[in-house]
Amino acid sequence: MEKEFENEAQDSGKFVASGSRDLVVEPDSSLTEKISEFTVRRLSSYYRILLSLESQDVQTVSSARLAELCGVTSAQVRKDLSYFGNFGTRGLGYQVTDLKTAIVGILGLDRKWMMALFGAGSLGHALFFHDGFRQDGFYFTHIFDIDPRRVGEKWRDIEILSFAAAKEKLAADPVDIGVIAVPEESAQDIADLLIDLGVNGILNFAPRQLTIPKNVRLRNVNLAVALESLSFLLSG
Amino acid sequence: MEKEFENEAQDSGKFVASGSRDLVVEPDSSLTEKISEFTVRRLSSYYRILLSLESQDVQTVSSARLAELCGVTSAQVRKDLSYFGNFGTRGLGYQVTDLKTAIVGILGLDRKWMMALFGAGSLGHALFFHDGFRQDGFYFTHIFDIDPRRVGEKWRDIEILSFAAAKEKLAADPVDIGVIAVPEESAQDIADLLIDLGVNGILNFAPRQLTIPKNVRLRNVNLAVALESLSFLLSG
DNA sequence: TAGATTGTTAATCGATTAACAATC
DNA sequence: TAGATTGTTAATCGATTAACAATC
């Protein structure tokens, strides 16, 4: 079974040493700090498989079976889960629905996440209408674009506003996550705005490393990387 | 440190048609097989930084500076490059243009890659019109969709054809890479078709693990994973 | 009880980093 | 020559896997 890189959610890159000098960073013993990005990705994968098993009315699954379906080892499955608790029963395996519920809780999918979209180009459009996000509880509540011709347009029932309107609008009606789907030149400006507004999570599609304070969580998705990695393999 | 690998090396031996006996020579010594996916991604990152430096007329860059711009260590930069050759000059660093050219060659960006798009929904639309791909040399030459209402539509000068037409069309006019942007239910069918046609590279956006022969290179991009990883961090 | 499978510890594997001789 | 920086080796760090006692 081979493994593949699912996606390119890279580590949040660099951060600026914030504010005053000797401010010691919190001990960071929070569980999330200790869990590797690899484990989180695999949890996403387990989650999807469990959804599928549940829809097939499968009651129980062993780490070996789950591993097979995800393309990892059974030890890996058990290890990943063990960071968060004991979800299985020796001799029997895991209850599909219970484990799914547990992972939903771990990943924070048991609530709604409000998101603002920056950039209403074709990528922004695809993200906005991507059904998978809403199914996971991620909702776009605002859309901003710099192009005056797009401003005023409506997607579903959400009106596209100008970048200039973003600050006031988001201050009045805040979001959890800002999604950056603008050209790379303006990506940092949008990030700065989001940070200024106290948004804690940023999903960045611009192929540029963003500078953010370390309390802000950043994930980068770079569509070119997957293709370049393919061409590397194909031309080798 | 981390693993999470490309998809299986393969095809072990390189054939060398030597004289009378055509025998397999060199078991698995192809370079691409030995390079980790992590290194390849960083090469993509170096490449983008070098493009940017070049456009600013920067002549020379040290591993330390490149590392700083990419958010990695200088040892990492030198190590990554050392797998492929000696591109620097001790005491001076790297010539920006030369290093860029070298990485372009390593990543296989010194040629054009023809691609077929499966799924002309909003994601497919975004991918098709994504400028970055063409700039890198990746061209969509075919578009296929199952929806009869879309078939016949034209994007740029390419007509959208039905899935049924794909086999014949691609046999006559082959591609290097198939891009799967269909719902997960049909992803495996498209993959099977591509494999059947001898396409060696697949970029899959469906959130489903595809079963493919070892000689086919697969990269998965799952948009949900990045968001789920953000919600994990934000809710921790 | 006998068989199955978890949760966890210890061993292994591989990626990153520190350090430095080579050399511009 | 003195200073800078590469290419590479060895040390470190951390992720994965094998193995097994616990226990259903």
PDB file of all heavy atoms in Angstrom, chain A residues 14-26:
ATOM      1  N   LYS A  14       6.717  31.032   8.936  1.00  0.00           N
ATOM      2  CA  LYS A  14       7.511  31.812   9.870  1.00  0.00           C
ATOM      3  C   LYS A  14       6.601  32.735  10.618  1.00  0.00           C
ATOM      4  O   LYS A  14       5.548  33.104  10.166  1.00  0.00           O
ATOM      5  CB  LYS A  14       8.512  32.640   9.094  1.00  0.00           C
ATOM      6  CG  LYS A  14       9.660  31.830   8.603  1.00  0.00           C
ATOM      7  CD  LYS A  14      10.626  31.682   9.704  1.00  0.00           C
ATOM      8  CE  LYS A  14      11.220  30.306   9.748  1.00  0.00           C
ATOM      9  NZ  LYS A  14      12.198  30.133  10.771  1.00  0.00           N
ATOM     10  N   PHE A  15       7.042  33.124  11.729  1.00  0.00           N
ATOM     11  CA  PHE A  15       6.216  34.074  12.442  1.00  0.00           C
ATOM     12  C   PHE A  15       7.075  35.224  12.902  1.00  0.00           C
ATOM     13  O   PHE A  15       8.292  35.116  13.006  1.00  0.00           O
ATOM     14  CB  PHE A  15       5.555  33.428  13.637  1.00  0.00           C
ATOM     15  CG  PHE A  15       6.298  32.264  14.151  1.00  0.00           C
ATOM     16  CD1 PHE A  15       7.486  32.434  14.820  1.00  0.00           C
ATOM     17  CD2 PHE A  15       5.824  30.985  13.916  1.00  0.00           C
ATOM     18  CE1 PHE A  15       8.178  31.359  15.286  1.00  0.00           C
ATOM     19  CE2 PHE A  15       6.543  29.903  14.384  1.00  0.00           C
ATOM     20  CZ  PHE A  15       7.707  30.087  15.064  1.00  0.00           C
ATOM     21  N   VAL A  16       6.410  36.281  13.188  1.00  0.00           N
ATOM     22  CA  VAL A  16       7.135  37.434  13.670  1.00  0.00           C
ATOM     23  C   VAL A  16       7.168  37.355  15.178  1.00  0.00           C
ATOM     24  O   VAL A  16       6.178  37.010  15.802  1.00  0.00           O
ATOM     25  CB  VAL A  16       6.402  38.721  13.299  1.00  0.00           C
ATOM     26  CG1 VAL A  16       7.369  39.738  12.800  1.00  0.00           C
ATOM     27  CG2 VAL A  16       5.308  38.444  12.310  1.00  0.00           C
ATOM     28  N   ALA A  17       8.288  37.658  15.722  1.00  0.00           N
ATOM     29  CA  ALA A  17       8.358  37.745  17.163  1.00  0.00           C
ATOM     30  C   ALA A  17       7.457  38.897  17.570  1.00  0.00           C
ATOM     31  O   ALA A  17       7.698  40.027  17.225  1.00  0.00           O
ATOM     32  CB  ALA A  17       9.782  38.008  17.613  1.00  0.00           C
ATOM     33  N   SER A  18       6.434  38.562  18.263  1.00  0.00           N
ATOM     34  CA  SER A  18       5.425  39.576  18.511  1.00  0.00           C
ATOM     35  C   SER A  18       5.830  40.531  19.616  1.00  0.00           C
ATOM     36  O   SER A  18       6.612  40.215  20.491  1.00  0.00           O
ATOM     37  CB  SER A  18       4.110  38.904  18.871  1.00  0.00           C
ATOM     38  OG  SER A  18       4.321  38.157  20.049  1.00  0.00           O
ATOM     39  N   GLY A  19       5.278  41.671  19.552  1.00  0.00           N
ATOM     40  CA  GLY A  19       5.346  42.706  20.571  1.00  0.00           C
ATOM     41  C   GLY A  19       6.587  42.761  21.436  1.00  0.00           C
ATOM     42  O   GLY A  19       7.710  42.788  20.952  1.00  0.00           O
ATOM     43  N   SER A  20       6.369  42.753  22.710  1.00  0.00           N
ATOM     44  CA  SER A  20       7.441  43.075  23.643  1.00  0.00           C
ATOM     45  C   SER A  20       8.476  41.981  23.751  1.00  0.00           C
ATOM     46  O   SER A  20       8.236  40.820  23.464  1.00  0.00           O
ATOM     47  CB  SER A  20       6.829  43.372  24.993  1.00  0.00           C
ATOM     48  OG  SER A  20       5.743  42.527  25.204  1.00  0.00           O
ATOM     49  N   ARG A  21       9.586  42.370  24.226  1.00  0.00           N
ATOM     50  CA  ARG A  21      10.785  41.572  24.126  1.00  0.00           C
ATOM     51  C   ARG A  21      10.764  40.229  24.822  1.00  0.00           C
ATOM     52  O   ARG A  21      10.795  39.190  24.201  1.00  0.00           O
ATOM     53  CB  ARG A  21      11.964  42.380  24.641  1.00  0.00           C
ATOM     54  CG  ARG A  21      12.521  43.271  23.561  1.00  0.00           C
ATOM     55  CD  ARG A  21      13.974  43.595  23.691  1.00  0.00           C
ATOM     56  NE  ARG A  21      14.436  43.917  25.021  1.00  0.00           N
ATOM     57  CZ  ARG A  21      15.445  43.263  25.583  1.00  0.00           C
ATOM     58  NH1 ARG A  21      16.037  42.307  24.944  1.00  0.00           N
ATOM     59  NH2 ARG A  21      15.874  43.617  26.771  1.00  0.00           N
ATOM     60  N   ASP A  22      10.725  40.260  26.117  1.00  0.00           N
ATOM     61  CA  ASP A  22      10.953  39.005  26.808  1.00  0.00           C
ATOM     62  C   ASP A  22       9.708  38.190  27.098  1.00  0.00           C
ATOM     63  O   ASP A  22       9.721  37.316  27.922  1.00  0.00           O
ATOM     64  CB  ASP A  22      11.704  39.268  28.101  1.00  0.00           C
ATOM     65  CG  ASP A  22      13.139  39.658  27.806  1.00  0.00           C
ATOM     66  OD1 ASP A  22      13.338  40.463  26.855  1.00  0.00           O
ATOM     67  OD2 ASP A  22      14.034  39.158  28.451  1.00  0.00           O
ATOM     68  N   LEU A  23       8.676  38.540  26.431  1.00  0.00           N
ATOM     69  CA  LEU A  23       7.457  37.785  26.658  1.00  0.00           C
ATOM     70  C   LEU A  23       7.682  36.315  26.333  1.00  0.00           C
ATOM     71  O   LEU A  23       7.882  35.944  25.191  1.00  0.00           O
ATOM     72  CB  LEU A  23       6.322  38.333  25.786  1.00  0.00           C
ATOM     73  CG  LEU A  23       5.507  39.415  26.468  1.00  0.00           C
ATOM     74  CD1 LEU A  23       4.261  39.718  25.670  1.00  0.00           C
ATOM     75  CD2 LEU A  23       5.141  38.984  27.883  1.00  0.00           C
ATOM     76  N   VAL A  24       7.660  35.525  27.362  1.00  0.00           N
ATOM     77  CA  VAL A  24       7.869  34.097  27.159  1.00  0.00           C
ATOM     78  C   VAL A  24       6.630  33.490  26.517  1.00  0.00           C
ATOM     79  O   VAL A  24       5.511  33.775  26.910  1.00  0.00           O
ATOM     80  CB  VAL A  24       8.147  33.393  28.495  1.00  0.00           C
ATOM     81  CG1 VAL A  24       8.280  31.896  28.284  1.00  0.00           C
ATOM     82  CG2 VAL A  24       9.405  33.962  29.123  1.00  0.00           C
ATOM     83  N   VAL A  25       6.907  32.687  25.552  1.00  0.00           N
ATOM     84  CA  VAL A  25       5.793  32.015  24.892  1.00  0.00           C
ATOM     85  C   VAL A  25       5.168  31.027  25.864  1.00  0.00           C
ATOM     86  O   VAL A  25       5.849  30.442  26.693  1.00  0.00           O
ATOM     87  CB  VAL A  25       6.302  31.250  23.661  1.00  0.00           C
ATOM     88  CG1 VAL A  25       5.143  30.839  22.784  1.00  0.00           C
ATOM     89  CG2 VAL A  25       7.292  32.088  22.916  1.00  0.00           C
ATOM     90  N   GLU A  26       3.902  30.848  25.754  1.00  0.00           N
ATOM     91  CA  GLU A  26       3.236  29.906  26.638  1.00  0.00           C
ATOM     92  C   GLU A  26       3.898  28.548  26.494  1.00  0.00           C
ATOM     93  O   GLU A  26       4.413  28.217  25.430  1.00  0.00           O
ATOM     94  CB  GLU A  26       1.742  29.853  26.337  1.00  0.00           C
ATOM     95  CG  GLU A  26       1.406  29.170  25.054  1.00  0.00           C
ATOM     96  CD  GLU A  26       1.258  30.120  23.882  1.00  0.00           C
ATOM     97  OE1 GLU A  26       2.025  31.098  23.749  1.00  0.00           O
ATOM     98  OE2 GLU A  26       0.365  29.869  23.096  1.00  0.00           O
TER      99      GLU A  26
END
